[in-house]
Amino acid sequence: MCIRDRYTVDFSWPTYLFVAYVFGATITQALFLAINTGQVLRLALERRPIRLSDVEARTHALLFGAGHNKHGMTPIEFRRFAKQTGMARVLAPPGTRLTREGCVDDHLDVLLSGRCVVRRSGATLGELRAGAFVGEISFVAEEQREEDAVAEAEPPQTWAQRIAAAARGGAPDPAAASTATVVCAQPGVELVRWKNDKLHDYLDSNPEHAAVLERLFSRDLAKKVASFTELN
């Protein structure tokens, strides 16, 4: 750098490079700071306490909260999940068939309270109580059919294929039909319900929540296998 006179300063190339480096580093640090601040704010918003509806709170506490699943959903994540998937409360009178053996279901249920009986070929396999999924085989197999269409020769890799394969010992079920009939066995059976197509669309766009549901399906399937094996 040289000084011609009192008001004119000439910068050499090294000086220009140094100034550019300083400004570039400052801008980069500012961008990183803005990104990190945004992430912290997003996490804080997701974990802020919110008031769920009675049905949302009970469903979250029963299955989707971190107390049951270390990778579960925060209350605000579950609120978004419930609203975008159209989760609805259903009261089913005694004798209501939630699924029919050999039929394809268009919905997935979770029992909130009450008791249901599981039957296959006229024989009673066991009972389902609060926290149990109903219709998950049709739900998973329906998704598996779409995935198998583009990956027929591949081993089970996606969440839907893994659960469907486990449910049938590794054999896919292209019919996506329910393997048993589930009947409400007492008054006041309460459940929450999702339409399969809407839930599939949501999970396709939110793989982290698909992973949560995969773990819940696996745990539910293990409980049913153990329970029904003991009874038979």
Side-chain angles (χ1 to χ4, degrees):
M1 180 178 70
C2 62
I3 302 176
R4 290 182 182 175
D5 53 38
R6 187 174 178 182
Y7 303 103
T8 305
V9 178
D10 286 341
F11 289 98
S12 62
W13 279 109
T15 305
Y16 279 118
L17 291 176
F18 175 75
V19 172
Y21 170 78
V22 171
F23 274 105
T26 302
I27 292 173
T28 301
Q29 290 178 354
L31 287 175
F32 276 119
L33 179 61
I35 292 172
N36 290 334
T37 302
Q39 292 292 341
V40 170
L41 289 175
R42 181 181 64 83
L43 291 173
L45 288 173
E46 287 182 353
R47 285 165 172 75
R48 75 183 190 275
I50 63 169
R51 186 176 181 83
L52 298 173
S53 69
D54 177 66
V55 172
E56 289 173 343
R58 290 161 58 202
T59 306
H60 181 259
L62 189 63
L63 286 175
F64 294 91
H68 298 277
N69 188 337
K70 66 179 182 180
H71 302 291
M73 303 181 193
T74 64
I76 197 166
E77 285 178 327
F78 184 73
R79 163 71 61 79
R80 176 168 62 90
F81 168 78
K83 289 188 177 302
Q84 293 187 13
T85 58
M87 187 183 82
R89 175 176 177 262
V90 176
L91 286 176
T96 300
R97 286 181 172 84
L98 302 180
T99 66
R100 287 180 181 270
E101 183 179 355
C103 295
V104 178
D105 304 308
D106 66 351
H107 57 269
L108 174 70
D109 297 334
V110 169
L111 293 180
L112 289 184
S113 63
R115 179 173 59 90
C116 292
V117 175
V118 182
R119 296 173 183 154
R120 179 184 294 166
S121 302
T124 298
L125 297 181
E127 295 182 348
L128 300 179
R129 296 183 180 273
F133 284 96
V134 180
E136 73 278 12
I137 297 300
S138 285
F139 174 77
V140 173
E142 179 183 333
E143 179 73 5
Q144 185 193 15
R145 282 208 315 275
E146 299 175 3
E147 293 163 351
D148 286 346
V150 295
E152 282 187 308
E154 295 295 323
Q157 293 295 327
T158 66
W159 68 273
Q161 290 173 320
R162 286 195 294 269
I163 299 300
R168 293 184 170 80
D173 180 26
S178 293
T179 57
T181 298
V182 178
V183 182
C184 298
Q186 67 181 74
V189 172
E190 184 184 16
L191 50 96
V192 289
R193 173 169 293 176
W194 296 270
K195 288 294 184 180
N196 286 352
D197 55 354
K198 200 163 187 177
L199 186 53
H200 279 310
D201 290 343
Y202 178 86
L203 295 179
D204 287 342
S205 302
N206 297 270
E208 71 282 4
H209 290 168
V212 172
L213 209 58
E214 177 185 339
R215 285 186 284 268
L216 291 174
F217 281 160
S218 297
R219 187 179 67 183
D220 183 71
L221 176 62
K223 286 182 178 179
K224 287 174 180 174
V225 170
S227 175
F228 295 169
T229 300
E230 290 175 1
L231 291 173
N232 292 278

